[in-house]
């Protein structure tokens, strides 16, 4: 766990610009919080929620290490229908 958090801290220091891939494949660039995070995106209204994925971070580092990779980055977006859109049905 210590390694995971060190890596997250490094990414935060670098202040990476978020690239946000839409479901149709188009890439959007947006300035999000500096801390690495993921997104839940409503495919109906476009609402975006920033979420943490500690399990994903651990998995990414573990699988990369297993294959001898370093300096690994990843992007993960989850698409669905938000609560407001479901309520509007
Ligand atoms: Zn974001
Ligand atoms: Zn929505
Ligand atoms: Zn991540």
């Amino acid at each position: 766990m210590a390694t995971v958090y060190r890596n997250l801290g490094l990414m935060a220091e670098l202040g990476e610009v978020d690239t946000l891939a839409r479901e149709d494949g188009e890439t959007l660039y947006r300035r999000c919080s500096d801390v690495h995070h993921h997104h839940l995106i409503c495919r109906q209204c476009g609402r975006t929620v920033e979420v943490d994925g500690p399990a994903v971070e651990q998995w990414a580092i573990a699988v990369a290490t297993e294959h001898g990779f370093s300096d690994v980055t990843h992007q993960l977006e989850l698409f669905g229908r938000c609560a407001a859109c479901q309520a509007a049905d």
Side-chain angles (χ1 to χ4, degrees):
M1 284 308 281
T3 307
V4 173
Y5 287 123
R6 262 203 303 281
N7 288 348
L8 290 178
L10 181 61
M11 287 182 199
E13 278 168 25
L14 293 173
E16 293 180 346
V17 174
D18 261 27
T19 54
L20 195 60
R22 290 204 322 211
E23 201 172 29
D24 62 10
E26 189 175 322
T27 303
L28 307 171
Y29 293 89
R30 47 174 277 172
R31 195 83 178 99
C32 292
S33 72
D34 284 343
V35 180
H36 177 76
H37 59 272
H38 296 278
H39 300 106
L40 267 167
I41 303 160
C42 178
R43 68 168 64 90
Q44 198 164 327
C45 71
R47 180 193 307 264
T48 303
V49 182
E50 304 201 338
V51 294
D52 291 329
V56 173
E57 312 313 326
Q58 280 186 277
W59 169 81
I61 289 169
V63 76
T65 302
E66 186 184 321
H67 291 276
F69 280 57
S70 66
D71 300 320
V72 170
T73 61
H74 65 262
Q75 295 176 43
L76 175 69
E77 265 78 58
L78 303 174
F79 296 93
R81 298 177 69 226
C82 73
C85 286
Q86 293 174 65
D89 280 348

